[in-house]
Amino acid sequence: MSARYPTPSETSHSPCPDYPPALGESRLLTDEERTESLECALRSWDRRSDLWLFGYGSLIWNPGLPTVEAMRSKVHGYHRGLYLWSRVNRGTPEQPGLVLALDRGGSCIGIAFRLAANGAMPHLEALWRREMAMGSYRPAWLPCVLADGRRVDALAFVMRRDVPSYTGKLRDDTIRTVFGCASGRYGTTLDYVSRTVAALRESGMPDRALEALLTRCR
């Protein structure tokens, strides 16, 4: 699927000069490309052992798959932030939204979910349709420290900096504009961020930086 993006002259009326961004044409991964991505990510999995998934955004409050265990966990080397323009789930090609991604540096607290090996593939395929529609993430196995001290490798979706949808550091007025207008097939960006902030706090691991950003920009 491709989409035409507005030219600068067509968007000169925008109250924020940095929005909407010039992202070029968008294209959804084909079924074959998505399957290849999934198979590549699972090469190190023996298909007999349960596997872990690391949730740091909507997976915390809407995992969308049956899990046999869920526990607070922490990964080092990556932090959570609104680094991905969303042209499907939380926005449109004309008014992209924002979603969270893991970017390099720092650490991130989230929820590790254990998925039973038996019958896992259909659920992983559904997860790939949800998270890898445009291939903006890099699936990676990250070392996680669970709240009870166990150490596991968990599959997570890490931001690719080589794609046009990578935002880099955004100004508050840009985020404020997105909160005011962006909505996609799963709802608004503002609702997405608000629900993530609430879920993190309810899980006993509030993200102070994300809460402050929501307060400033909502």
Side-chain angles (χ1 to χ4, degrees), residues 3-5 26 34 38 100 108-109 111 136-137 147 171 176 184:
R4 175 184 174 276
Y5 286 81
S26 62
R34 200 170 55 246
L38 175 59
L100 294 163
C108 181
I109 295 177
I111 300 291
S136 298
Y137 291 117
R171 303 187 315 178
R176 190 174 297 114

Side-chain angles (χ1 to χ4, degrees), residues 97-150:
L98 290 166
V99 292
L100 294 163
L102 291 179
D103 202 8
R104 297 195 297 261
S107 61
C108 181
I109 295 177
I111 300 291
F113 299 96
R114 181 161 63 90
L115 182 65
N118 185 30
M121 283 306 298
H123 301 299
L124 290 170
E125 290 166 358
L127 180 66
W128 243 248
R129 287 193 294 271
R130 168 179 166 178
E131 301 292 339
M132 292 292 291
M134 298 182 69
S136 298
Y137 291 117
R138 173 177 61 86
W141 293 91
L142 303 182
C144 291
V145 180
L146 304 184
D148 62 4
R150 284 179 292 167

Side-chain angles (χ1 to χ4, degrees), residues 27-46:
R27 184 181 73 84
L28 297 176
L29 295 185
T30 65
D31 291 343
E32 293 75 16
E33 289 172 327
R34 200 170 55 246
T35 298
E36 182 181 359
S37 168
L38 175 59
E39 292 296 334
C40 181
L42 298 180
R43 282 175 184 167
S44 61
W45 179 43
D46 62 10

Side-chain angles (χ1 to χ4, degrees), residues 5 18-24 85 93 96:
Y5 286 81
D18 298 330
Y19 187 84
L23 298 178
W85 289 115

Side-chain angles (χ1 to χ4, degrees), residues 60-61 72 80 109 111 193-212 214-215:
I60 294 175
W61 45 270
R72 286 193 300 172
R80 171 176 39 232
I109 295 177
I111 300 291
V193 176
S194 299
R195 295 185 70 176
T196 303
V197 163
L200 287 166
R201 178 166 285 279
E202 291 167 4
S203 299
M205 49 183 184
D207 185 324
R208 306 293 186 189
L210 194 60
E211 288 188 3
L214 180 61
T215 298

